[in-house]
Amino acid sequence: MRPDIPAVPAISAIPAGIRSLDAVFRPRSIAVIGASDDPTRISGRPIAYALRYGYEGAIYPINPSRSTVQGLPAFPSLREAPDGIDCAIIALPTGLVIDTLRQCADKGIRAVVLFTSGFAELGEAGRELQEAVTRTAREHGIRLLGPNVIGCYCLSRKTFVTFLGNLECVLPPGKPRIGLVSQSGGYGAHIHMLAMQRGLAVDQVVTTGNEADIEFGEVMAWMAESAEVDIIVGYIEGIRSKASFLRGLAAAHRRRKPVVLMKVGATEAGAAAAASHTAALAGADDIYDAVLREYGAYRAQSSEEVLDVVYALSAGKPLRKRRLGVATISGGAGVQIADFACAAGLALPAPPAATQQALREIVPFGSPANPVDMTAQISNEPGIFAATLDALLDAGYDSILMWLGPAVGNARAGGPIRETVERIAARRPDVLQTISLIGGPELVRPYEVAGCLLFEEPYRAIRALAALEFFEGVFSRPLPQRPDVAQMPLLEAGTAYNEADAKRLLACAGVPLPDERLVRTPEEAADAARRIGRPVAVKVVSADIRHKSDVGGVALSLASPEAVAETVRRMARAIPLRVPGAHIDGFLVSPMLQDGVECIVGVHADPLFGPVMMFGLGGVLVEVVQDVAFALAPLDEAGALDLIRRVKGHRLLTGFRGRPPADVPALARAIAGISRLAARNADRLLALEVNPLCVLPEGQGVVALDAVVQTGRTRLAQPSHHNHHD
Amino acid sequence: MRPDIPAVPAISAIPAGIRSLDAVFRPRSIAVIGASDDPTRISGRPIAYALRYGYEGAIYPINPSRSTVQGLPAFPSLREAPDGIDCAIIALPTGLVIDTLRQCADKGIRAVVLFTSGFAELGEAGRELQEAVTRTAREHGIRLLGPNVIGCYCLSRKTFVTFLGNLECVLPPGKPRIGLVSQSGGYGAHIHMLAMQRGLAVDQVVTTGNEADIEFGEVMAWMAESAEVDIIVGYIEGIRSKASFLRGLAAAHRRRKPVVLMKVGATEAGAAAAASHTAALAGADDIYDAVLREYGAYRAQSSEEVLDVVYALSAGKPLRKRRLGVATISGGAGVQIADFACAAGLALPAPPAATQQALREIVPFGSPANPVDMTAQISNEPGIFAATLDALLDAGYDSILMWLGPAVGNARAGGPIRETVERIAARRPDVLQTISLIGGPELVRPYEVAGCLLFEEPYRAIRALAALEFFEGVFSRPLPQRPDVAQMPLLEAGTAYNEADAKRLLACAGVPLPDERLVRTPEEAADAARRIGRPVAVKVVSADIRHKSDVGGVALSLASPEAVAETVRRMARAIPLRVPGAHIDGFLVSPMLQDGVECIVGVHADPLFGPVMMFGLGGVLVEVVQDVAFALAPLDEAGALDLIRRVKGHRLLTGFRGRPPADVPALARAIAGISRLAARNADRLLALEVNPLCVLPEGQGVVALDAVVQTGRTRLAQPSHHNHHD
């Protein structure tokens, strides 16, 4: 069995599964089963919206007790309706769903949107019913959105397979177009409403609910390929399938569409609430962070942040590194903005000396650094504003953040400020003008018209600009390459390897071992010690003993072959008394090492993402501060270097406080090797940990001092019904 | 000289200095020197505001070229104006300021507000001029606000000694009244405007500008004692005097007035901008954090956070621990809120079993935990809302956070939701109802009228509620007591102590030392080793050698008296060759210790706050992760325990991973002792560090293994002109 590595298809190769979603998201005809004549009821709204917005396909209300529904001819049952229907909406009680699905199949319908709730979100009983729904849909080749969904709509195609309440007001069309995919119906509707209030052009909304069939990642992939979507916004409670999720992220990156995601359930309390709400497994939060980072998706912490970032993206202008100039009318605001920028990793490079000189002449009392303090003097001499902005543009800043507070409403300065901003907007359309200001709608409007980004709170402006810089970085580099793992050995399933065997596996993965010997007798041990020729350690080797030192199975710094022989003799006698039944495979005689930095390299067998590499440094850093970083396996050496640099403690490797710099390239090679071994055995690897992995000074490599490998059947090894359409 | 410890005066004892501010903030008459007839100009606005808002005192415009100013009789010079003027506004060029101050003194004026800029904010030249201003004011007993200020106003007293532009619109009176004190005029005006836009009742604004005389802390203290202020909001760039700042914080705590502060310049970039903007020294950010925490002030990171917290405080209802119930109409929102609450340290206790049962009956598909998920079903059965809220109130939750998204605008549910909220507001005025919703002003208004807190973004609701809980904690306990330090030894100034002398000082402070001997000769050393009777360490003792191991001055684990003698002989020979001229005071022979947790206890001689205790654990935790905590010296043992618990690594002391629990009470005693020694010597202590301080297992105490003490003249030792009115 091949490990679960996401294939990155070539541009032309859109998976067939994605195209099968067209019937859901671009239906040419829709049957509404259980259609209501009341346009405000759940089963009435899709018809009302279709009529209001001018859906161009056919709508077939199915209702046994009415001849018309909202003025459309109704059909007593699906059988009576015309053939060739693309998509059916089911809004019936749970007990009728399976039968209705079969009727859909009989009618040749390929797509169903199942509004009904009362399935897996209720627990065990509902889960069984939902599995039956999934089976029925799959047996008949039906793609199914739901159950427990609000549905989906696409404004520019005028398709409304949804009862989303927000559509009762007028939708703002526009560009760039936003595709919103949410696992939660309620929260999806909320973000949608907020986006509309901000005037953001949401063109598509899809809620995936319980995901009995169509999953979040598939919808992302579909939106990535859809001409109607420029920016993808997502709301995640828990992802069900790694492959489709990564494929969705990769597709969006390939199409250069920014992805802005919220993933809730970050904390234990949150995860508990998530588990009671959906049937999804909430993956460990750090691992989501690592995956999203790797695939270039922006993770927002709140809907406010989602919308701020999307709003900034909507300006359609990138923020290149070190090109942001800041001008304020208050030194205090400048200090704050500098603080925020520093925390967000956004550089504010100082202007060249000539520009500083020019700025000093413009405002002698101000500050010519970046942020430039134009001071409150601007209300006496409004010309300061234009002169400052021109100086910054001349110096090459092509993104300007202005903190103007209430100044745009100032009687003297308001006009000149507006004219300057409008002039720059007209002559330098490449320049992004972001303004932190306060004032009523009439003051704000001209700046909106000029294409400025407006934020009241400078913190939020900085956060949004940092997101633009993030995406600029994301799209300037390819997604990480996954190295080939076919050459790696396949482990035996269901085995606890002893230390010596575990280390042999590491050696196959290219991880250096100490110059140690596995011995059986005191005499062999003395001989090994003699050949090593310096102080040694002796460790018992047994797959049945996990904590060797707890049972007296470790002895350090033995200086003479006699002491080594005596130690082995003592262990061979004492350990079987302490751990009756443990099979002792022998003893390792290893040279004592000095001068290394101890690291831990582990593999976490994540039930969703499969083998995930963990790296950390030094005992307390891992144990107390949890200073560790994660990355999906397999990694190449560049990916491993990135992983190493993401822990705070990595400074210990680079010659910290007079210590010699450690052999970081060798460490990266070792991590990459271990990651390939882990990926090759994704379906069976339960635990792999090298602790400590000792990193020697530059040029001297690394040594795996201890290792644990355990195999079994991972969750990934179970056949997943989610993958048949991947 | 006594260390600089803030005295906490008894309630009745308002410092005379504070009362002297009445002439600035409550003047019975005001002269405007350089008064303009134009009500929009800086020197015209104070008169215009006084006229518009009906100032009840007398206003005397001083203008040599006009007989009236804005309809008031003007005087050609101050001399011609009537006597008995409380306060003068000076809005003249810098060159005229000193002379004008003298004229004010001649006229018997006790308070001046100096609008003029061009002083210390310009650097060296301006600083000298400002010092001259300070000297002149002090010579003549004038309290001075400024220079470089927008001034101050008090709405309820109708005094307007300011050119703040925001006062051109109508101010919202109301309760609770907010006092805003800002070092930055521009940012102060900005926060003021935002607060007004939110309908918050700002009754006083004071900007302190360059603080040539009146400082931030004094204004806080004045507001704490002022009947017109209920909540103090402050904006800080850098505090100049510890004593007046702490006195201001303590006064606010004594009067149970919440203090919400922004302190900018947190990062290096921000601090650089601060230094170029004001003449203030930006204290290390961690230390500000520690001080504000200790004194119960809330530190906000942005003006948005300031206003959200003040808005929540304005409801006038506390949030007691474990009394917050959350109800949502979307499971996803509940998960998020649980995440946010967990991150903010806000407990969401589950309802009792009976309540859960009741909730399960109300919404079978929902979640009866806290957050309660009422589900979207609420739009079909609006009765769910009232039933859920009543169940929560019956269960004892007296603060309810509701996430309703767009539901308040729902045709079926909107009315019943509003009625329920209004009913609870009427019958249970003790209950704080906080609602996260979206909708237009007409939808929102009834909830405002009912006294609810409204937030669009749940993250911000949680942050504000956590602040309410923070203040509930702050006012439920007294400020920390400062132990007496008079018994502590006074150090000799300008001395670098050798290790043995430094340790003797620690012993005076009650810190246990190892059973070690200071010896001069190899024979004495061997004798000492014999008496210790187990392996020992030998260290050279010299005030001239800081890094003993670098010069071969440390030898560990010497097992025999002979080896000890030989080591001392070798050191005595070799070290003078490596460090020519170093005076060797002898050698310390100390027993080797095991089984302890190594800590670092240091004293940072902060130029603003004086001696600040630093505590950290383990080498890497301090060096790589900067896992340290700070607290003002002196501390009692309770304060020291709190300091210890604030580092992440403190888990290493409590029996982490099978290690024996360490003697934390002894550690707290040692820290408290060191802090008293430091406080006693605040005027001369440059450095004090015990590293490592070894914490032995429970009941076995601590041992100071090495120590550095260095004295000199600290900044605190210089006579401060800021303290004469303290």
Side-chain angles (χ1 to χ4, degrees):
Chain A
M1 189 176 201
R2 284 291 308 277
D4 197 3
I5 304 159
V8 178
I11 287 188
S12 60
I14 298 165
I18 295 300
R19 277 285 73 90
S20 71
L21 299 185
D22 285 1
V24 186
F25 300 138
R26 296 172 174 167
R28 287 159 302 178
S29 51
I30 302 166
V32 182
I33 304 173
S36 169
D37 194 50
D38 179 347
T40 70
R41 293 193 70 90
I42 283 178
S43 55
R45 287 189 200 162
I47 298 169
Y49 297 149
L51 296 173
R52 171 175 323 163
Y53 289 99
Y55 172 54
E56 287 161 7
I59 299 256
Y60 305 112
I62 313 296
N63 185 327
S65 52
R66 301 187 61 93
S67 61
T68 66
V69 165
Q70 297 184 47
L72 294 176
F75 301 87
S77 77
L78 199 54
R79 205 169 321 125
E80 274 84 355
D83 286 338
I85 298 172
D86 267 1
C87 177
I89 293 171
I90 302 182
L92 299 173
T94 48
L96 303 177
V97 168
I98 301 272
D99 250 12
T100 312
L101 273 176
R102 293 208 181 98
Q103 290 168 27
C104 289
D106 292 346
K107 197 71 185 170
I109 292 175
R110 298 178 302 145
V112 162
V113 175
L114 183 51
F115 287 177
T116 314
S117 39
F119 291 88
E121 78 275 18
L122 295 193
E124 204 41 57
R127 198 171 298 126
E128 275 172 32
L129 185 56
Q130 183 168 315
E131 278 164 15
V133 165
T134 303
R135 270 195 310 275
T136 309
R138 298 223 159 128
E139 271 164 24
H140 296 95
I142 291 174
R143 296 311 311 265
L144 183 137
L145 185 67
N148 192 21
V149 288
I150 295 186
C152 56
Y153 82 81
C154 173
L155 184 62
S156 54
R157 294 190 167 262
K158 300 174 191 157
T159 53
F160 297 85
V161 191
T162 183
F163 64 94
L164 184 64
N166 306 344
L167 300 175
E168 280 153 27
C169 46
V170 179
L171 298 175
K175 281 231 165 192
R177 283 170 299 189
I178 296 154
L180 169 62
V181 48
S182 172
Q183 292 189 317
S184 159
Y187 214 83
H190 178 66
I191 294 184
H192 177 243
M193 174 68 98
L194 290 172
M196 289 197 303
Q197 285 185 348
R198 294 238 201 154
L200 297 171
V202 180
D203 199 67
Q204 296 203 352
V205 171
V206 178
T207 71
T208 59
N210 290 11
E211 302 191 345
D213 172 33
I214 297 172
E215 289 178 7
F216 187 90
E218 274 187 285
V219 179
M220 273 207 297
W222 191 85
M223 287 182 173
E225 304 297 345
S226 164
E228 284 91 37
V229 172
D230 303 305
I231 298 167
I232 299 173
V233 175
Y235 180 85
I236 300 172
E237 291 175 350
I239 291 298
R240 286 165 179 80
S241 143
K242 170 191 181 184
S244 76
F245 184 54
L246 297 190
R247 201 144 48 218
L249 290 170
H253 187 270
R254 193 171 54 236
R255 297 297 190 184
R256 299 180 69 82
K257 297 187 182 176
V259 175
V260 182
L261 296 178
M262 267 183 95
K263 157 74 179 72
V264 298
T267 56
E268 232 171 285
S276 78
H277 175 59
T278 74
L281 179 123
D285 200 56
D286 294 338
I287 293 169
Y288 270 101
D289 267 349
V291 170
L292 296 183
R293 187 181 176 287
E294 208 172 314
Y295 280 79
Y298 183 93
R299 182 172 183 180
Q301 298 302 325
S302 66
S303 26
E304 183 178 86
E305 185 176 358
V306 167
L307 293 165
D308 283 353
V309 171
V310 172
Y311 171 61
L313 285 166
S314 293
K317 293 175 191 173
L319 175 58
R320 284 174 288 170
K321 267 218 184 299
R322 304 183 60 78
R323 298 291 275 277
L324 178 64
V326 180
T328 74
I329 58 162
S330 147
V335 173
Q336 264 184 77
I337 287 171
D339 281 351
F340 295 147
C342 183
L346 204 54
L348 299 180
T355 308
Q356 296 205 23
Q357 186 49 40
L359 290 168
R360 220 172 266 119
E361 279 159 27
I362 297 165
V363 216
F365 295 179
S367 159
N370 187 10
V372 181
D373 182 8
M374 300 181 287
T375 79
Q377 191 58 16
I378 200 174
S379 36
N380 282 329
E381 294 178 52
I384 290 173
F385 183 75
T388 301
L389 259 60
D390 288 341
L392 288 174
L393 294 178
D394 288 349
Y397 297 97
D398 56 11
S399 192
I400 309 284
L401 170 61
M402 297 159 244
W403 188 89
L404 301 177
V408 295
N410 184 286
R412 290 169 61 91
I417 288 174
R418 200 187 57 241
E419 284 151 25
T420 302
V421 167
E422 284 167 347
R423 170 171 60 79
I424 293 171
R427 296 204 197 147
R428 289 288 305 273
D430 61 310
V431 170
L432 178 59
Q433 300 186 83
T434 305
I435 310 182
S436 173
L437 55 71
I438 48 180
E442 72 295 342
L443 280 173
V444 165
R445 188 76 194 130
Y447 298 94
E448 287 177 341
V449 170
C452 300
L453 292 179
L454 301 178
F455 289 95
E456 179 181 294
E457 168 56 50
Y459 164 70
R460 289 168 62 180
I462 285 290
R463 185 174 62 182
L465 289 169
L468 292 187
E469 204 185 74
F470 167 84
F471 282 115
E472 186 63 12
V474 160
F475 294 122
S476 70
R477 54 174 192 263
L479 291 184
Q481 292 297 307
R482 299 279 168 214
D484 186 41
V485 303
Q487 303 307 313
M488 285 286 146
L490 209 47
L491 307 186
E492 208 173 309
T495 306
Y497 287 79
N498 72 31
E499 181 183 340
D501 293 340
K503 281 176 163 172
R504 258 195 294 275
L505 288 168
L506 290 176
C508 296
V511 181
L513 304 180
D515 172 26
E516 63 191 3
R517 322 279 150 107
L518 179 63
V519 301
R520 313 267 160 187
T521 64
E523 295 69 33
E524 283 177 31
D527 200 43
R530 215 167 280 122
R531 262 185 276 173
I532 289 169
R534 48 190 167 121
V536 297
V538 170
K539 292 185 279 184
V540 67
V541 174
S542 165
D544 302 328
I545 299 172
R546 178 58 71 90
H547 298 291
K548 294 184 274 277
S549 32
D550 292 358
V551 300
V554 178
L556 301 176
S557 300
L558 302 173
S560 70
E562 295 72 34
V564 171
E566 178 48 36
T567 300
V568 166
R569 208 166 286 128
R570 204 185 55 237
M571 286 184 183
R573 206 167 40 231
I575 292 172
L577 301 175
R578 300 186 108 183
V579 199
H583 184 266
I584 294 177
D585 302 321
F587 301 88
L588 274 175
V589 180
S590 328
M592 292 299 294
L593 277 184
Q594 289 158 340
D595 278 346
V597 180
E598 295 198 345
C599 298
I600 174 170
V601 177
V603 178
H604 161 74
D606 190 78
L608 173 60
F609 288 109
V612 176
M613 302 305 296
M614 188 199 82
F615 174 73
L617 255 123
V620 270
L621 286 179
V622 171
E623 291 176 7
V624 177
V625 198
Q626 270 111 45
D627 179 26
V628 292
F630 296 92
L632 289 183
L635 289 170
D636 60 12
E637 283 164 39
L641 274 177
D642 184 59
L643 177 69
I644 294 165
R645 288 199 197 101
R646 275 161 48 211
V647 305
K648 286 185 198 160
H650 90 268
R651 298 197 298 151
L652 289 176
L653 293 167
T654 54
F656 187 62
R657 297 253 164 141
R659 290 164 206 169
D663 198 336
V664 175
L667 172 60
R669 279 194 299 278
I671 293 173
I674 297 167
S675 81
R676 286 196 302 274
L677 181 63
R680 176 75 177 101
N681 293 281
D683 61 340
R684 57 193 65 188
L685 190 66
L686 291 182
L688 194 171
E689 193 173 279
V690 185
N691 184 19
L693 178 69
C694 185
V695 189
L696 300 172
E698 242 168 8
Q700 299 178 36
V702 300
V703 188
L705 297 189
D706 201 350
V708 170
V709 173
Q710 205 185 347
T711 60
R713 286 185 77 72
T714 66
R715 278 181 58 124
L716 293 180
Q718 296 158 20
S720 162
H721 60 252
H722 292 119
N723 290 336
H724 85 288
H725 50 77
D726 284 349
Chain B
M1 190 179 203
R2 285 291 308 278
D4 198 2
I5 304 159
V8 178
I11 288 189
S12 61
I14 299 164
I18 294 301
R19 278 283 74 88
S20 72
L21 299 184
D22 285 1
V24 186
F25 300 137
R26 296 172 174 168
R28 286 156 305 178
S29 50
I30 303 167
V32 182
I33 304 173
S36 168
D37 193 50
D38 180 346
T40 72
R41 293 195 69 89
I42 282 177
S43 55
R45 287 189 203 163
I47 298 169
Y49 296 149
L51 295 174
R52 170 174 326 162
Y53 288 99
Y55 172 55
E56 287 161 8
I59 299 255
Y60 306 111
I62 313 295
N63 185 325
S65 53
R66 302 186 60 93
S67 62
T68 65
V69 164
Q70 297 185 48
L72 295 174
F75 302 86
S77 77
L78 200 51
R79 205 170 319 127
E80 273 83 358
D83 287 339
I85 298 172
D86 268 0
C87 177
I89 293 171
I90 302 182
L92 299 173
T94 50
L96 302 177
V97 168
I98 301 271
D99 251 11
T100 311
L101 273 176
R102 292 208 183 99
Q103 290 167 26
C104 288
D106 291 347
K107 198 70 186 173
I109 291 174
R110 298 177 302 144
V112 163
V113 175
L114 183 51
F115 286 177
T116 314
S117 40
F119 292 88
E121 77 275 19
L122 296 193
E124 205 40 56
R127 198 171 298 127
E128 276 171 31
L129 184 56
Q130 182 168 317
E131 278 165 15
V133 165
T134 303
R135 271 196 308 276
T136 309
R138 298 227 159 127
E139 272 164 22
H140 296 95
I142 291 174
R143 297 309 313 265
L144 183 137
L145 186 66
N148 192 22
V149 287
I150 296 187
C152 56
Y153 84 81
C154 174
L155 183 62
S156 54
R157 294 189 167 263
K158 300 174 191 158
T159 53
F160 296 86
V161 192
T162 183
F163 64 94
L164 184 64
N166 306 346
L167 299 175
E168 280 152 28
C169 46
V170 178
L171 299 176
K175 280 231 164 193
R177 284 169 301 189
I178 297 155
L180 169 61
V181 47
S182 173
Q183 292 189 316
S184 159
Y187 213 83
H190 178 67
I191 294 184
H192 177 241
M193 174 68 99
L194 290 173
M196 288 197 304
Q197 286 185 345
R198 293 238 202 154
L200 297 171
V202 180
D203 198 68
Q204 297 203 351
V205 172
V206 178
T207 73
T208 59
N210 290 11
E211 304 192 344
D213 173 32
I214 297 172
E215 290 178 5
F216 188 91
E218 275 187 285
V219 180
M220 271 207 298
W222 192 85
M223 287 181 172
E225 305 297 347
S226 163
E228 284 90 37
V229 172
D230 302 306
I231 298 167
I232 299 173
V233 174
Y235 180 85
I236 301 172
E237 290 175 352
I239 290 298
R240 285 165 179 81
S241 143
K242 170 191 182 185
S244 76
F245 184 54
L246 296 191
R247 202 145 45 218
L249 291 171
H253 187 270
R254 195 172 52 237
R255 297 298 188 183
R256 300 181 68 83
K257 296 187 182 177
V259 175
V260 182
L261 297 178
M262 266 183 95
K263 155 75 179 73
V264 297
T267 57
E268 234 171 285
S276 77
H277 173 59
T278 75
L281 179 122
D285 200 56
D286 294 338
I287 294 169
Y288 270 101
D289 268 349
V291 171
L292 297 183
R293 187 182 176 286
E294 207 171 316
Y295 280 80
Y298 184 94
R299 184 171 182 181
Q301 299 301 324
S302 66
S303 26
E304 183 178 87
E305 185 175 358
V306 167
L307 293 165
D308 283 353
V309 171
V310 171
Y311 171 62
L313 285 166
S314 293
K317 293 174 190 173
L319 174 58
R320 283 174 288 170
K321 268 219 183 300
R322 305 183 60 76
R323 298 291 275 276
L324 178 63
V326 179
T328 74
I329 58 161
S330 146
V335 173
Q336 264 185 76
I337 287 171
D339 280 351
F340 295 146
C342 183
L346 204 54
L348 300 180
T355 307
Q356 296 205 24
Q357 186 49 39
L359 290 168
R360 218 171 269 119
E361 279 160 26
I362 297 165
V363 216
F365 295 180
S367 159
N370 187 9
V372 180
D373 181 8
M374 300 180 286
T375 79
Q377 189 60 13
I378 200 173
S379 36
N380 282 331
E381 293 179 52
I384 290 173
F385 183 75
T388 301
L389 259 61
D390 288 341
L392 287 173
L393 293 178
D394 288 348
Y397 297 98
D398 55 11
S399 192
I400 309 283
L401 170 62
M402 298 158 243
W403 188 89
L404 301 177
V408 295
N410 183 285
R412 290 170 62 90
I417 289 174
R418 200 186 58 242
E419 283 151 28
T420 302
V421 167
E422 285 168 346
R423 171 172 58 81
I424 293 171
R427 296 203 197 149
R428 289 288 306 271
D430 61 311
V431 170
L432 178 59
Q433 300 187 82
T434 305
I435 310 182
S436 174
L437 55 70
I438 48 181
E442 72 295 340
L443 279 174
V444 165
R445 186 76 192 129
Y447 297 94
E448 287 177 340
V449 170
C452 299
L453 293 179
L454 301 179
F455 290 94
E456 180 181 293
E457 169 56 53
Y459 165 70
R460 290 170 60 180
I462 286 289
R463 185 174 62 181
L465 290 169
L468 292 187
E469 203 185 74
F470 167 85
F471 282 115
E472 186 63 12
V474 160
F475 293 124
S476 69
R477 54 174 192 262
L479 291 185
Q481 292 297 307
R482 298 282 168 214
D484 186 41
V485 305
Q487 304 306 316
M488 285 286 145
L490 209 48
L491 306 186
E492 208 172 309
T495 306
Y497 288 79
N498 72 30
E499 181 183 338
D501 294 340
K503 282 177 163 171
R504 255 193 295 275
L505 288 168
L506 289 177
C508 296
V511 180
L513 304 181
D515 173 26
E516 64 191 4
R517 321 280 150 108
L518 178 64
V519 300
R520 315 267 159 186
T521 64
E523 295 70 33
E524 284 178 29
D527 200 44
R530 216 166 281 123
R531 259 183 280 171
I532 290 169
R534 50 193 166 121
V536 296
V538 170
K539 290 185 281 184
V540 66
V541 174
S542 165
D544 301 328
I545 299 172
R546 179 58 71 90
H547 299 291
K548 294 182 276 276
S549 32
D550 291 359
V551 301
V554 178
L556 301 176
S557 301
L558 302 172
S560 69
E562 296 70 35
V564 171
E566 178 48 36
T567 299
V568 165
R569 208 167 285 128
R570 205 186 54 237
M571 285 186 185
R573 207 165 42 229
I575 292 172
L577 302 176
R578 301 185 109 183
V579 199
H583 184 267
I584 294 178
D585 303 321
F587 301 87
L588 274 175
V589 180
S590 327
M592 292 299 295
L593 276 184
Q594 290 159 337
D595 277 348
V597 180
E598 295 200 343
C599 298
I600 174 170
V601 178
V603 178
H604 162 74
D606 190 77
L608 172 60
F609 289 109
V612 177
M613 302 306 296
M614 189 198 82
F615 173 73
L617 256 124
V620 273
L621 286 179
V622 171
E623 291 175 9
V624 178
V625 198
Q626 271 112 42
D627 179 27
V628 292
F630 296 92
L632 290 183
L635 290 170
D636 59 11
E637 283 164 40
L641 274 177
D642 183 60
L643 177 68
I644 294 164
R645 288 199 197 102
R646 275 160 49 211
V647 305
K648 286 186 198 160
H650 91 267
R651 298 196 299 152
L652 289 177
L653 294 167
T654 53
F656 188 61
R657 296 250 163 147
R659 289 164 207 168
D663 198 336
V664 175
L667 173 60
R669 279 193 300 277
I671 293 174
I674 297 167
S675 81
R676 286 196 302 272
L677 180 64
R680 176 74 178 104
N681 293 281
D683 62 339
R684 57 194 64 188
L685 190 66
L686 291 182
L688 194 172
E689 195 173 278
V690 185
N691 184 18
L693 177 70
C694 185
V695 189
L696 301 172
E698 242 169 7
Q700 299 178 36
V702 300
V703 188
L705 296 189
D706 201 350
V708 170
V709 173
Q710 204 185 348
T711 61
R713 285 185 77 73
T714 66
R715 278 179 60 125
L716 292 180
Q718 295 157 21
S720 162
H721 59 253
H722 291 119
N723 290 335
H724 85 290
H725 50 76
D726 284 348

